[in-house]
Amino acid sequence: MTDLELAHDDLELVHALQIAPRLSWTELGNVLGRHPTTLSERWKRLHSQRLVWTLGHLGGRPQMNCTALLDIEVEPRLMEDTLLKICQIPEVNSVDSASRHADYRLTCITSNWLNMTRQVLPQLWAIAGVLRIKTSLCTHVYASGDQWRLDVLSRQQEEELRELAPTPQVSTGAIPPALWPCLEVLQTNGRATARDIALSTGQHPATAARLLNASLSTGMIFIRCELASDYSGSPLWVQWFTKVPPGMEDQIAQYLRTFRNLRLCAATTGEANLVFNMQLREPAEIANIERKLTSQFPQLRILETCVGMRSYKRMGWILESDGRFSKTLESTRSISRI
C-alpha cells in the first residue's frame, strides 16, 4: 500500500459502491459482513475528507445524446486563466492535462450535436488563449467511468452485489424534459432518494420516484462512485488513441472490457477510431498493456499514448491536485436542456 492509499476496509466499501452505488447500507452490510451504521459512518468520514463521492451523469450513448472528445491547445502565457474559463462551461464534463499534442483533453456531453456546435464550441473559441480545438465524436461508448473497479472484494461478493444491482438496459429513446431537474440533483449526490429530489426540485414525490426509476433502469442516467486518484493505489491516468480496421471495434472493445482498470472505451470519428483510457499503478504497466493488446490484435495500430498529468474536472466535479474534490465547488451543472 502506498502512503496515500486507503485502508483495506475503506477500499472494500468503495469497491462495493462502484458495483452498486445506490444500495442501502443494510444491503451493503449483508454482503461485506459489516454493520450498516459502521459503513454509513465510514462513508461520511471519507466524504468529509473529500476522498469519495457519488454522482449521476448522462449515459453518454450516441443514440441518446452527443459526446465529444476535444483536444485543446492554449497560449502558454494565458494557461491558468484559460483553464479556469474552460472548467466553468457546464457542458464540459471533464478536463485533463495532456502530455502530448494537446494542452488539455476535454469530454463534453450535450443533448444533441446542434448544442455542441452552437453552444459549447463557440464558448470555447471565445475564451482568450484557446489556439486550436480538435474534435472527435463518440459513435459508440463501450465503457465509461462507472465500470472502473478496484480489486479488493472476492468474486462471490462481486456477484452478490451485481445481483442486487443489475445492469440497466440502455434505452434508445429521447430524454424527457422533466428528467433534467432530477439529473441535476443526482450530479451532486448519486445516492439521492426520490424524496431528496422532490424536495430539491419541487416535483411531486410520485413524479420524482417515477422519473428516478425510469432513468436508472433504462440507462438514461448512470450512477458512479468516484475515489480521489492519488488515494486509489492507481494514480496514473493513461489514454490511448488507436486505429483499428472497420468492423473490429466491437471485438477489441470487448477484450478491453476485461481490464478492471478501464475507465473509457469509445469508437470515435477521425484517424483514431478507437480511444480508451485506464487508471494504472505505475508506468511499467503501459508497455505490458500495449504488448498484450497488439499481440491479441496485430491489426491494431497505436497512434498515441498520452499520460495525463492532472485531472481538473471529472463529470462536473472540480478536482484538486491530489484528485480530491474541491472544497469550494463540489459540482457544476454539466448538461444542456435545449
Side-chain angles (χ1 to χ4, degrees):
M1 185 174 76
T2 67
D3 291 342
L4 295 179
E5 192 171 349
L6 300 183
H8 183 80
D9 285 353
D10 293 336
L11 292 174
E12 272 192 339
L13 176 58
V14 174
H15 188 175
L17 288 167
Q18 286 180 324
I19 300 170
R22 289 184 57 82
L23 282 189
S24 69
W25 300 122
T26 298
E27 291 171 309
L28 289 166
N30 290 336
V31 176
L32 299 179
R34 300 286 189 273
H35 193 279
T37 302
T38 300
L39 296 181
S40 175
E41 291 302 317
R42 180 173 295 143
W43 175 261
K44 289 177 183 177
R45 171 177 55 81
L46 293 172
H47 185 74
S48 69
Q49 296 170 336
R50 296 177 289 114
L51 295 171
V52 296
W53 62 101
T54 57
L55 63 92
H57 63 89
L58 290 178
R61 300 315 189 244
Q63 65 269 35
M64 298 171 64
N65 41 66
C66 179
T67 301
L69 306 179
L70 278 57
D71 285 1
I72 307 287
E73 293 183 39
V74 174
E75 166 63 44
R77 295 179 299 106
L78 301 175
M79 193 78 72
E80 187 174 340
D81 288 343
T82 303
L83 172 64
L84 178 62
K85 292 175 182 176
I86 288 173
C87 287
Q88 288 174 342
I89 298 176
E91 291 80 10
V92 175
N93 291 67
S94 299
V95 179
D96 299 282
S97 62
S99 58
R100 291 173 55 84
H101 299 303
D103 294 307
Y104 301 113
R105 291 206 149 113
L106 281 52
T107 302
C108 303
I109 303 179
T110 61
S111 56
N112 55 56
W113 168 241
L114 289 179
N115 282 348
M116 189 72 69
T117 58
R118 295 178 181 177
Q119 285 185 227
V120 179
L121 292 176
Q123 286 185 74
L124 287 168
W125 278 118
I127 296 174
V130 172
L131 299 177
R132 277 175 288 276
I133 301 176
K134 179 181 176 182
T135 303
S136 297
L137 296 180
C138 294
T139 58
H140 191 114
V141 177
Y142 296 98
S144 53
D146 59 291
Q147 292 165 302
W148 170 58
R149 299 288 182 263
L150 295 172
D151 194 10
V152 183
L153 299 178
S154 70
R155 297 298 179 261
Q156 180 180 345
Q157 288 174 311
E158 288 186 312
E159 184 58 36
E160 290 176 9
L161 289 165
R162 280 193 290 268
E163 289 178 1
L164 291 169
T167 303
Q169 299 299 314
V170 177
S171 170
T172 58
I175 297 174
L179 183 61
W180 298 115
C182 173
L183 176 55
E184 290 185 18
V185 176
L186 291 171
Q187 268 197 304
T188 303
N189 177 14
R191 289 177 59 84
T193 65
R195 183 176 181 274
D196 295 331
I197 293 170
L199 289 173
S200 179
T201 64
Q203 293 175 330
H204 190 280
T207 300
R210 177 175 53 80
L211 288 170
L212 177 62
N213 293 333
S215 63
L216 297 179
S217 64
T218 60
M220 290 184 182
I221 295 176
F222 283 101
I223 307 295
R224 65 206 243 189
C225 175
E226 287 287 359
L227 168 62
S229 56
D230 283 14
Y231 298 81
S232 68
S234 299
L236 185 65
W237 288 62
V238 182
Q239 187 162 15
W240 285 268
F241 297 81
T242 69
K243 179 72 173 179
V244 304
M248 288 196 66
E249 298 92 340
D250 290 2
Q251 182 182 358
I252 297 173
Q254 291 309 311
Y255 174 75
L256 288 169
R257 282 172 60 93
T258 65
F259 289 80
R260 300 173 67 84
N261 49 4
L262 182 70
R263 287 196 64 106
L264 171 72
C265 181
T268 59
T269 60
E271 184 182 6
N273 60 356
L274 189 68
V275 176
F276 64 95
N277 67 42
M278 296 186 185
Q279 197 166 331
L280 308 179
R281 294 188 71 90
E282 54 189 7
E285 292 184 71
I286 297 172
N288 292 335
I289 290 169
E290 292 181 352
R291 200 160 32 240
K292 289 178 181 179
L293 187 59
T294 54
S295 174
Q296 188 80 10
F297 302 100
Q299 310 94 324
L300 177 145
R301 283 197 303 128
I302 297 175
L303 303 180
E304 181 183 355
T305 303
C306 177
V307 178
M309 307 306 292
R310 178 182 166 183
S311 294
Y312 294 93
K313 187 177 182 182
R314 186 181 305 161
M315 298 311 292
W317 288 63
I318 304 298
L319 304 182
E320 297 189 348
S321 58
D322 60 358
R324 295 187 298 167
F325 65 81
S326 171
K327 295 178 182 177
T328 57
L329 182 61
E330 289 188 1
S331 178
T332 57
R333 186 181 61 85
S334 59
I335 55 175
S336 175
R337 304 187 190 189
I338 299 173

